Amino acid sequence: MSTVSTPKHVYIFGNGKADGDGSMKPLLGGKGANLAEMSRIGLPVPPGFTITTEVCKHYYSHASTYPMELLAQAKAGIAHIEELMGQKFGDRTGMPLLVSVRSGARDSMPGMMDTILNLGLNEDTVAALARATGNERFAWDCYRRFVQMYGSVVMGVQKRSREDRDPFEDAIHELHGAEIEDSKLTTADLKAIVVRFGKLVKEHTGKEFPADPLEQLDGAIGAVFRSWMNDRAMVYRRKYNIPSDWGTAVTVQAMVFGNTGDRSGSGVAFTRDPATGENVLYGEFLIDAQGEDVVAGVRTPEPVALLERHLPEAFGELVSIRARLEHHFRDVQDFEFTIQDGKLYMLQTRNGKRTGLAAVRFAFEMEKEGLIDWKTAIRRVPADQLDQLLAPVFDAAALKGAPCIARGLPAGPGAASGKMYFSAERASAAAKRGESVILVRSETSPEDLRGMIAAKGILTAKGGVSSHAALVARQMGKVCVCGAGALRIDYAARTLTVGGKAYHEGASISIDGTAGTVYPGEIKTAPSEIVQVLIEKSLKAEDSYTYRMFSQLMDWCSQVTRLQVRTNAETPDQVENGMAFGATGIGLARTEHMFFQGDRIDAMREMILADNLDDRKKAFAKLLPYQKEDFVGIFKALKGYPATIRFLDPPLHEFLPHETVAQKNLSRKMGVPVEKIWARVNELEESNPMLGFRGCRLGIVYSEISEMQARAVFEAAAEVEKSGIPARPEIMIPLVGFKRELDLQVEVVRRVAEEVMTENKMNLSYLVGTMIEVPRGALTADDIAHTAEFFSFGTNDLTQTCLGMSRDDSGSFLPAYMELDIVKKNPFETIDQEGVGQLIRMAVEKGRGTRQGLKLGICGEHGGDPESVKFCHRVGLTYVSCSPFRVPVARLAAAQAALEDEAGGK
Amino acid sequence: MSTVSTPKHVYIFGNGKADGDGSMKPLLGGKGANLAEMSRIGLPVPPGFTITTEVCKHYYSHASTYPMELLAQAKAGIAHIEELMGQKFGDRTGMPLLVSVRSGARDSMPGMMDTILNLGLNEDTVAALARATGNERFAWDCYRRFVQMYGSVVMGVQKRSREDRDPFEDAIHELHGAEIEDSKLTTADLKAIVVRFGKLVKEHTGKEFPADPLEQLDGAIGAVFRSWMNDRAMVYRRKYNIPSDWGTAVTVQAMVFGNTGDRSGSGVAFTRDPATGENVLYGEFLIDAQGEDVVAGVRTPEPVALLERHLPEAFGELVSIRARLEHHFRDVQDFEFTIQDGKLYMLQTRNGKRTGLAAVRFAFEMEKEGLIDWKTAIRRVPADQLDQLLAPVFDAAALKGAPCIARGLPAGPGAASGKMYFSAERASAAAKRGESVILVRSETSPEDLRGMIAAKGILTAKGGVSSHAALVARQMGKVCVCGAGALRIDYAARTLTVGGKAYHEGASISIDGTAGTVYPGEIKTAPSEIVQVLIEKSLKAEDSYTYRMFSQLMDWCSQVTRLQVRTNAETPDQVENGMAFGATGIGLARTEHMFFQGDRIDAMREMILADNLDDRKKAFAKLLPYQKEDFVGIFKALKGYPATIRFLDPPLHEFLPHETVAQKNLSRKMGVPVEKIWARVNELEESNPMLGFRGCRLGIVYSEISEMQARAVFEAAAEVEKSGIPARPEIMIPLVGFKRELDLQVEVVRRVAEEVMTENKMNLSYLVGTMIEVPRGALTADDIAHTAEFFSFGTNDLTQTCLGMSRDDSGSFLPAYMELDIVKKNPFETIDQEGVGQLIRMAVEKGRGTRQGLKLGICGEHGGDPESVKFCHRVGLTYVSCSPFRVPVARLAAAQAALEDEAGGK
């Protein structure tokens, strides 16, 4: 029998103590856990309490009701705050206690959910607040803000569409004209506004605005829970793969005020620069302002370094706290602070979001500083952001003549050119049409999220480095320039005006998120420093700090990785690029790509148009030297690393021209009647070419194809071996579903290998294996492994067949599927682990059951996706293969996967 | 320790005893086992021995060599024959022992492998034979036949192509002119021919013809083994799904001679008529002939009843043996006999191949006669031949005026019209083009097999009911008329001449295989008697013996079956047909078929062309009454049986016209600019529509589709229930791969159901389930079963996706795949049990793991394929569904599957 105990729904903190700690993020949310932790290490945190995520789950599974014990525990929490603050909730005489009510999920979801400030105000307490602070205008401004926020968030008095105007703002404008600034409102104005707001709430909802602070609290808690399921939170979660069942915690905390005068202020800061990674205190603040004002982007804040001039003491304390935070959390912190009448309060801390570049620099430098070890350094770099370091920058020469039309804050490094759009909807639509898009807004809000996802770059006229735009861009790795104040955007006219010149929506624009500069038109880009060092060799390693950090990171990765990374390559250049980035061989050489170059396509077409075996063989005889030459180049470039060579895969009609003019040209060139070409094209047409006459089906029906390809491979291998370089071909037969398909093709390959070895009086070592890319191949992998010396998972086609979903056609419904949460991620980008993953696991198990130590790889485009790479590691593949420029990303993901094993799996 | 014993390779028989028996077919082959059995029951069998199939396997796995013990055991076998026959192998003085060497697989493969007769003859023994029989011409004719057969089969002296002439026949013609008949050759001629044959062998092979009888035997055994792997044997095995690793046995048996004069003869007979099933001794014989002469079709044999006139004693014995055979084997036997100088010998017996009609009649009558029980009767009817009883016959009225141009033996019942082709190659090519083909040959040989497979009917000028053509047609269920002697076929001119009129290849012809008649041109066909009774009700049950047999068989089936059979139907007519054949509900109603009728397509097109939800809803409002009316009709016809209704499945572009003229017409009709139609068609075009925007993807993106369909179903159900007939809709959501897809659709269905129930103030009982037709659906069936109340396997699409093989496009390689033994059967006809079957088993297990007693069905076209039906029974499905006319076949297969369970599985 277990003893029955009251479940604990509320965790208090403050005054150097706390019920919870930083490890309790799943229960208390990131904000709640870190407030507890800060309190425990003695940082100045206003007291408060956190309602757990369990309560949120209860709320959703019990028709939006709270557990019965919650009210009592929340009251106890309020009593705890009252005690530490020496104030009373609803006090009509002394200084009344006001609280904030904030959301806090396990992972930060900045700006996605709702917050209520100044809760506890009513007709009575506002008067008490005025008396206690001696500042009536301040008190009524707090009250006005509270009623507006509560009325909108909790009571649902909101604009009905994006084009609609906010009813509260409308009410202010009715009373005081459209363009009045908040700061110009008098106490009398504010009082009148609050009265008008009360009526507005009554008109919209039929209810009175609640005066009882406890009733207010009750409503606010529910509103925060509800905001967990609002549209933008759901979009965000889908993008970042946050499960809906985590829920949010709610933190209730004593209000402190940054807006009580010029010895007060609010700010947000990072312990280091989250854009460039530089080790400097970085952030911004506003004097006489609440925190919301800093983030909102309405007043442009000042850099945090300038705080020293205004409030040197508080600044000194901040610098010391910065060091304590990093030392304690061992990671760069993003924190909020408020200074009330000279006293500094910490309102929140969390690990700072960062660009890929900053992540690398943080990791690199913190390891050097001894704050973290090298394994932690590897874990700290989000693998999918590493390629930001490889992204192009503007070409120096092209940039030289370009007129910089505006400057802003460099909020997301990199260079981007595209067509400008002023609305998220149109930006998103343009991206769907295939355009490169720069989203241009005065400022962004969570409602712009879809447009930001669609854009290559983001440019705003207002807001600083901790504005919504900067925050989101940083996280997504978008190029971003913020707060370029010279820009004037007219949404109605769809124009951007700067320096007296108007640019219309759809015009080209270029932004440099590393320099913070804006240029009209498209500007040519140049490779990143790393590419200049490794590939172009136009820059020395020691001259590039970026390269040195990158190189160190890759070296660390090599020390833990078990999963090899190969590259997809068809030319010596591609091989060299992949190897420069650390690939250990080719995982996929698509031989058909080689047939499209120069005259080769003619021989290929001759083959396809041939009526009989002899003519086909003649055509192949012409292709053989080309193909052999290709393989010689590849083997030489590989310097002894293995090359997985896939035999002809696409349907033959892909090699014939489909348009009349091209068919006529071909007819003249080949001396073949155009009717014959036309007839053959028609004959080869298929209703579902993906599932048609392709892959090994070609090599089986026309074994001369495989014979020619095998001869080219082995003759090339023999030639390269003779030059002293080992050649390690791994011949891969595509689209195998039946063991006997592979048997028949392997028979041809081995026969040709024997012939070439005899002709050259030498031995060649090679493997023959297959792609597993139709479900039947996976299901009968035990059988197929009797013949196959390796498997390579062709996850593109395996996804298409397993899901019955054509990649080319899924555009018509996949977006809806993502909206509706049917798929979490695009299955053509990240392996569908539940479905396709099952087939892969099955094939691995069955294949290795038959042939111990069977070599296993993946060559679909998922090979460069970090989540998929980690999956491949977990199921025990030997290698992944991806395009040359994705190799570093895959290497980092592979290293992180190995570290997850060390940590006992994830 | 086990004792080492010599493996037994040889099983002797004769004189009322045998080492083996009839149960040992896997080891001794059908022929060897039955000879042993006949010997055991005292039938007059010439003594002999059988070499086991194990030796054949050894031969293939040991580089064409025999096990070391074989020679000694074969010699002992010869000694056994010598003893019983009182003759010596190679005897130069008395009557020498001659033997036959024949193949014998577990299942009969008539004519596919090689046979050697008269083995043991050489210069010396031929003289001894002449002396002992007092018939020199006979002895030399035997020798001539032996040398010719052995030279061809064992030593490989054969024509090189089909057009080439046989070298031995050529040699005869050189010596004696082209047209000499064998019977005209004198003893001197025969001696000269044998000398010429010897030279021929030497010229072709460089070897002497072997004189040593044991060396001859050794060679003959190897040749029989090799013939297991010849082309035609492999084609035959593929067609009948006989594993290559069974191997053949070899039976060596004393020769008896039917060609020693007019008190001798050979014949083949069936204990009952294998074409019509009538209970009469049925067969044919030739006086003074060897068995090969009867089958060869060169001389037209006499009906076996006439034997009574020639050799009344032997005939009497035959009649008594007929009864003993049936009583012993409890099945209709196909046997060979030889009468040598008045003494009857049985050379072989086996279960007779039979037409579907005969199989039913045998089973029906033997049960009545008490020879078999009703369960055996069920087992005896090959399920895939049952539909021969349902096949059309010639329409009586159409037949009335038709001139019968020739008569032959009715060798395969049924009526067939088509274009005549005189070669297997051209027949096969024409069938591939989609023509109905009648293969017309003077006589057929195993080389014609492919053409026979391709043809709808077979017509020969020569040969009787046991000729190759008749035998094969019977087994395949082809319509066949044999030995229509009036026909003259000129292969070179490609003409058929009869009654002074020439018909060219490609002309139409009609044959009635039940009557044995031939007509020029195409003749209209009429439904079978069973259809006339059950569907058209134009014939009374008691007036049709065929119907009564059929009905009895179906009644028996009902007593054992566990697997239900439903029908695929979209109209009340189809429902009634299916139910008349015994279906217990609809397994698949494709709702989209209903949209193609009359004006409905206009509303459907309006919906597709609509720009917005409102217009789409308007179009649906027009479709709703139609669809409701359809369901009312279906529910009424079902009389309370369930109806699985699949929601809209095909991609929308299938409903729009693709040709310019049709688009213009539609534009006029709908008042929509043609550009808009054209644009929408283009927009909807897909690269792989099979994997595109279809199935539940439509209902999810346009939920108004599913809403309308659900409303139509439930409103119809309500209306029908009010009329007192229960309605049991089972709504099926197609193409589900993710549980959430189903969740979203089920939500719509249940909401509409509630609405309709409220509106009608009544309860309706219904189920909602899904099709499992993409691999992901099967892989995540445990998850999906939380929502699905039933699964129906859409094996068409599941096969396409599992194999990555488009049914529409597989024509380009699937024939090659069948030739190359990659697939045994067309996977779109018979479920690929190893691949697709694994997914089905997995889904069954996972689905029932989540939801015990989950209803499971199959609605792909495999539902009417007997082998697939049996698979469905074994994996535990609840029902199969197939087209109305396949229902009896499925019911029979289901009953047989249940009986296989009783027998302990197969």
Side-chain angles (χ1 to χ4, degrees), chain B residues 404-465:
Chain B
C404 172
I405 51 171
R407 286 184 178 275
L409 292 164
S417 287
K419 296 188 175 174
M420 62 178 108
Y421 285 91
F422 303 122
S423 93
E425 285 74 16
R426 292 192 302 275
S428 166
K432 272 187 194 151
R433 289 194 301 271
E435 296 178 17
S436 284
V437 166
I438 308 291
L439 178 68
V440 181
R441 303 273 307 163
S442 286
E443 55 193 309
T444 64
S445 76
E447 288 167 316
D448 293 313
L449 201 58
R450 281 175 209 174
M452 297 170 88
I453 292 172
K456 262 180 79 178
I458 298 156
L459 170 62
T460 66
K462 296 184 186 176
V465 290

Side-chain angles (χ1 to χ4, degrees), chain B residues 29 211 306 308 533 569 805:
Chain B
L306 298 184
E308 191 167 14
V533 173
M805 197 184 278

Side-chain angles (χ1 to χ4, degrees), chain A residues 849-872:
Chain A
T850 296
R851 190 187 285 260
Q852 226 186 344
L854 181 69
K855 196 177 228 180
L856 297 167
I858 175 183
C859 58
E861 281 168 32
H862 298 100
D865 169 70
E867 212 175 293
S868 306
V869 170
K870 290 179 184 179
F871 171 79
C872 292

Side-chain angles (χ1 to χ4, degrees), chain B residues 56-71:
Chain B
C56 182
K57 291 180 206 169
H58 181 283
Y59 184 82
Y60 278 105
S61 60
H62 293 78
S64 304
T65 59
Y66 307 130
M68 49 175 292
E69 310 86 351
L70 182 67
L71 185 61

Side-chain angles (χ1 to χ4, degrees), chain A residues 757-836:
Chain A
M757 291 194 277
T758 307
E759 284 155 22
N760 288 276
K761 299 192 184 62
M762 64 192 296
N763 261 320
L764 294 169
S765 81
Y766 66 97
L767 300 178
V768 199
T770 184
M771 271 179 102
I772 299 290
E773 53 184 336
V774 297
R776 199 184 194 282
L779 291 162
T780 60
D782 42 355
D783 207 20
I784 292 173
H786 284 290
T787 305
E789 293 179 308
F790 65 87
F791 288 169
S792 178
F793 292 96
T795 49
N796 298 346
D797 281 1
L798 196 58
T799 300
Q800 298 196 78
T801 47
C802 179
L803 274 55
M805 197 184 280
S806 158
R807 184 170 49 171
D808 297 337
D809 304 317
S810 60
S812 51
F813 56 90
L814 207 48
Y817 267 43
M818 295 181 71
E819 294 279 326
L820 290 166
D821 244 346
I822 295 171
V823 293
K824 301 284 177 213
K825 295 204 160 187
N826 182 332
F828 299 109
E829 287 170 10
T830 298
I831 288 175
D832 158 40
Q833 295 187 21
E834 284 171 54
V836 177

